[in-house]
Amino acid sequence: MTFYNPSIETLPLEKLRALQNSRLKTMLQRQYEQIPFYKKLFDEKGIHPKDIKGVEDLHLLPFTRKEDLRDNYPYKMFATPMQEVRRIHASSGTTGKPTVVGYTHNDLEIFDEVVARSLVCAGARPGMKLHNAYGYGLFTGGLGMHGGATKLGMAVIPVSGGMTDRQLTILQDFKPEVMCCTPSYAQTLAEECKKRGIDTKELAVKYAVLGAEPWTETIRRQVEAGLDVTATNIYGLSEIIGPGVSQEDFEEKGTGSYIWEDHFFPEIVDRDTGKPLPYGEEGVLVFSTITKEAFPLLRYWTNDICSINYDKNAKRTHIKMSSIKGRADDMLIIRGVNLFYTQVEEVIEQFDFLIPNYQLIVKREGTMDKVQVRVEVAEGADPADAALQQQLHQKIKNTIGLSMDIQLEVLGSIPRSQGGKLKRVIDERSVVF
Ligand code: ADP
């Protein structure tokens, strides 16, 4: 099995466009008729859904932003009566009050379908068992992966996040072939295996599907070695559907993640001007959910920074997105230089004496913003070794263009993920003493 839905996943591009165009028109009509927020927005712009011929006209239409969802909290962005809604989720609220999203029966079928496609892409097959360590609850991760795995024909072990002892017992005794969780929690599990002398050869797990937070090759290397798995990236957000908006193929690692663009039409726009950018350029990822019934969003500004492009050598025809550098509002501006924490993570990869357990602490000294990098050293390396500190300092300066204070730490000093997303940046500038 290479594909879950071969006819759609390999649909020639012109047919994919025709499908997207007709779906977009239906979505716009639904939004105009059912959601007062969109009717007002279109009327103000003097645009009628009928004026839009297809996805090439999307740039004429306004964006939908997180604030719009908050202003319409909880249900005013729903396009269907509650009698047709079958599930309600909310974003994890990483950046403020949660946003509430709803699904009809058909929306849930689509959710299951895109997650099933993603799981196949990650290496999972019917008959395998999924250790699902994403949180169950309002967060879309747990139930989202659960539904897609069930649809694919897997046996789901609904472990949910946290309680690491239990996770390890289940990995050892239940013998799942596939696991999913955040990359930072996969790091925790890998470390705990090592600490407890668990022989990963005795585990059955072969594939790890990791997402919900930015991560780089540095963490992939650590998790793959530590758990003896092939790790791929899954991306998603509750506003668009949840996990399974895009997924990396296990045989095409490092070339980006397929966006299931028959359901989620992507654009990359300039973060300051909102102008669409050409394929390959980095900017803000924007999605139109062209098949959603209960919660259809037009040009939703995800705030996530990446690029998109077609890959002619790929198995599927759908466009790929690069891994997320970070959220636009998580970008630090330090002495005029833009900084995402994933850039530091990439530098860490280049040193064998470092482990990607790290934290950035941002401070203000006088009028100067300063960044301190706390990072753990591998066994056998000395955290007090000034030469090692200097090497990292110099590499960061050459690569990122900033002088940072380096604080090397012994293994185990920096907080780990206890099951969910991990906060890598501590910004002390806003703290009032
Ligand atoms: P919240 O915005 O409250 O965290 P969600 O749980 O819906 O709500 O999280 C969605 C966000 O998580 C995305 O917008 C993105 O910033 C991040 N995210 C999800 N998957 C990935 C991934 N694979 N790589 C990087 N970031 C991701």
Side-chain angles (χ1 to χ4, degrees):
M1 184 190 223
T2 316
F3 307 112
Y4 177 74
N5 187 342
S7 57
I8 283 289
E9 292 175 48
T10 61
L11 194 66
L13 207 50
E14 62 286 10
K15 290 202 174 145
L16 194 53
R17 282 289 173 270
L19 184 67
Q20 289 166 331
N21 289 341
S22 94
R23 288 178 166 179
L24 174 68
K25 283 191 252 182
T26 310
M27 179 197 82
L28 291 171
Q29 198 61 39
R30 173 194 293 277
Q31 288 177 321
Y32 191 75
E33 286 166 8
Q34 307 294 341
I35 309 176
F37 165 82
Y38 278 119
K39 181 169 190 317
K40 184 160 169 269
L41 207 61
F42 290 173
D43 288 348
E44 273 168 14
K45 282 243 167 197
I47 293 176
H48 190 274
K50 290 210 165 58
D51 302 336
I52 301 300
K53 302 281 171 289
V55 291
E56 71 280 5
D57 292 337
L58 266 174
H59 66 101
L60 302 169
L61 296 170
F63 296 110
T64 310
R65 293 177 189 264
K66 193 141 198 148
E67 300 86 86
D68 299 322
L69 307 187
R70 292 199 176 123
D71 292 347
N72 289 286
Y73 178 89
Y75 299 136
K76 281 193 269 182
M77 293 293 270
F78 282 25
T80 42
M82 203 48 86
Q83 285 81 347
E84 288 175 32
V85 175
R86 293 293 171 271
R87 200 190 297 163
I88 292 170
H89 273 292
S91 76
S92 26
T94 311
T95 55
K97 195 170 175 177
T99 47
V100 178
V101 302
Y103 305 77
T104 62
H105 173 79
N106 282 342
D107 294 335
L108 289 173
E109 294 273 304
I110 291 170
F111 198 0
D112 290 348
E113 152 96 25
V114 294
V115 172
R117 283 187 210 172
S118 299
L119 282 165
V120 171
C121 228
R125 297 292 179 264
M128 290 183 177
K129 297 177 284 304
L130 176 70
H131 178 112
N132 187 3
Y134 277 123
Y136 279 68
L138 279 179
F139 173 57
T140 47
L143 282 170
M145 297 307 292
H146 188 113
T150 307
K151 187 168 180 122
L152 175 60
M154 300 180 78
V156 186
I157 312 170
V159 196
S160 200
M163 299 213 267
T164 303
D165 286 341
R166 198 180 59 173
Q167 304 267 353
L168 295 172
T169 306
I170 289 170
L171 282 171
Q172 287 174 287
D173 297 350
F174 292 22
K175 301 264 184 275
E177 295 85 354
V178 187
M179 61 183 285
C180 58
C181 60
T182 60
S184 56
Y185 196 50
Q187 284 184 283
T188 305
L189 293 173
E191 276 190 343
E192 289 298 322
C193 279
K194 189 170 175 204
K195 236 192 244 169
R196 296 165 198 223
I198 297 173
D199 180 4
T200 50
K201 294 272 173 298
E202 279 169 21
L203 304 180
V205 66
K206 274 176 39 197
Y207 303 103
V209 197
L210 309 180
E213 65 189 356
W215 60 302
T216 68
E217 293 300 322
T218 319
I219 288 175
R220 175 157 24 216
R221 203 171 63 168
Q222 188 198 21
V223 169
E224 289 194 334
L227 289 170
D228 197 13
V229 290
T230 295
T232 53
N233 191 16
I234 187 161
Y235 166 87
L237 61 167
S238 53
E239 295 89 327
I240 301 307
I241 203 152
V245 172
S246 82
Q247 168 70 43
E248 187 179 27
D249 189 285
F250 76 113
E251 290 172 333
E252 297 173 0
K253 278 192 301 184
T255 62
S257 302
Y258 290 105
I259 296 174
W260 306 122
E261 57 166 318
D262 53 321
H263 295 295
F264 319 115
F265 185 81
E267 298 171 81
I268 294 288
V269 303
D270 183 282
R271 57 174 296 179
D272 298 318
T273 64
K275 290 236 164 63
L277 294 174
Y279 294 144
E281 278 191 36
E282 194 175 273
V284 175
L285 181 60
V286 167
F287 281 112
S288 298
T289 60
I290 52 182
T291 48
K292 292 263 293 293
E293 290 179 343
F295 195 73
L297 291 183
L298 173 63
R299 304 193 83 203
Y300 183 67
W301 186 281
T302 65
N303 233 348
D304 292 325
I305 304 285
C306 69
S307 60
I308 57 174
N309 214 340
Y310 286 99
D311 177 356
K312 296 221 161 47
N313 303 316
K315 293 180 196 166
R316 298 171 179 79
T317 46
H318 294 225
I319 201 161
K320 286 179 174 178
M321 59 185 262
S322 64
S323 51
I324 302 284
K325 231 172 160 179
R327 297 188 201 226
D329 50 10
D330 283 346
M331 189 183 78
L332 298 163
I333 304 179
I334 307 293
R335 306 193 293 277
V337 177
N338 296 347
L339 174 70
F340 287 104
Y341 67 79
T342 48
Q343 291 173 273
V344 175
E345 192 173 296
E346 278 171 349
V347 177
I348 289 173
E349 192 192 7
Q350 302 170 34
F351 295 98
D352 288 339
F353 66 86
L354 296 177
I355 302 188
N357 289 326
Y358 69 98
Q359 222 175 31
L360 305 190
I361 318 249
V362 189
K363 298 180 182 169
R364 178 158 294 154
E365 281 177 17
T367 55
M368 282 275 266
D369 287 334
K370 293 212 155 182
V371 181
Q372 183 189 49
V373 183
R374 292 181 67 211
V375 55
E376 291 178 4
V377 292
E379 265 168 282
D382 175 8
D385 186 334
L388 299 186
Q389 289 177 12
Q390 181 54 25
Q391 275 184 48
L392 179 59
H393 177 269
Q394 200 55 43
K395 193 77 183 176
I396 289 179
K397 195 166 175 199
N398 296 346
T399 329
I400 303 175
L402 278 171
S403 260
M404 297 186 191
D405 296 336
I406 307 296
Q407 168 114 18
L408 301 181
E409 306 266 6
V410 289
L411 199 63
S413 353
I414 293 173
R416 272 40 180 179
S417 164
Q418 299 301 318
K421 306 190 192 215
L422 181 65
K423 204 167 156 46
R424 302 257 187 207
V425 178
I426 312 292
D427 195 339
E428 293 181 348
R429 290 173 302 179
S430 46
V431 179
V432 181
F433 293 100

